[in-house]
Amino acid sequence: QVQLVESGGGLVQSGGSLRLSCATSRRTNSHYTMGWFRRTPGKEREFVAAITLSGGNTYYADSMKGRFTISKGSARNTVYLQMNSLKPEDTAVYYCAADPKFVPPPSDEYDYWGQGTQVTVSS
């Protein structure tokens, strides 16, 4: 069992930046896929980005390309989501997810999920 804890959410003005962190309860092996998703009220959960811990391959939703960057920490138990040029429509609860195998994006079929962190972008 792997527990995930997100942090770094908050309130930011439009055009601002935030960096989200996701820490796992134990070190994951290199086969893991880590992903970020978001959900706004009344909408389905949306894929944001994913990274493979083995090769560091990254994947992004089209609307996030060029603005968001997913990266992994050196200890392989932390993943980050750097969000730049934030827009009010980026307001959502952001969730971290992990799976011990490759999960082809934009699938949300991850075994482990965090509780989420709120990101609010004011106009």
Side-chain angles (χ1 to χ4, degrees):
Q1 188 75 10
V2 176
Q3 294 179 329
L4 308 177
V5 178
E6 304 98 333
S7 61
L11 174 64
V12 64
Q13 289 188 332
S14 181
S17 299
L18 281 175
R19 189 176 82 155
L20 305 183
S21 299
C22 174
T24 62
S25 58
R26 60 177 176 84
R27 185 168 175 165
T28 54
N29 64 48
S30 62
H31 300 291
Y32 267 68
T33 304
M34 303 286 293
W36 285 97
F37 292 77
R38 68 186 187 186
R39 175 174 277 164
T40 55
K43 293 186 178 181
E44 292 190 0
R45 186 163 54 197
E46 178 185 20
F47 170 75
V48 174
I51 186 168
T52 58
L53 297 189
S54 56
N57 297 316
T58 57
Y59 309 86
Y60 297 94
D62 288 343
S63 62
M64 287 72 165
K65 286 180 181 177
R67 297 192 301 125
F68 291 8
T69 302
I70 188 171
S71 61
K72 55 182 180 177
S74 59
R76 214 161 57 200
N77 66 338
T78 304
V79 172
Y80 304 100
L81 183 69
Q82 177 68 42
M83 305 186 295
N84 299 327
S85 302
L86 283 163
K87 307 173 183 179
E89 51 264 42
D90 293 318
T91 295
V93 178
Y94 284 72
Y95 297 90
C96 177
D99 198 278
K101 65 182 183 304
F102 178 65
V103 181
S107 173
D108 64 355
E109 294 186 3
Y110 286 76
D111 282 352
Y112 308 110
W113 291 85
Q115 293 299 308
T117 184
Q118 177 70 48
V119 171
T120 303
V121 184
S122 63
S123 57

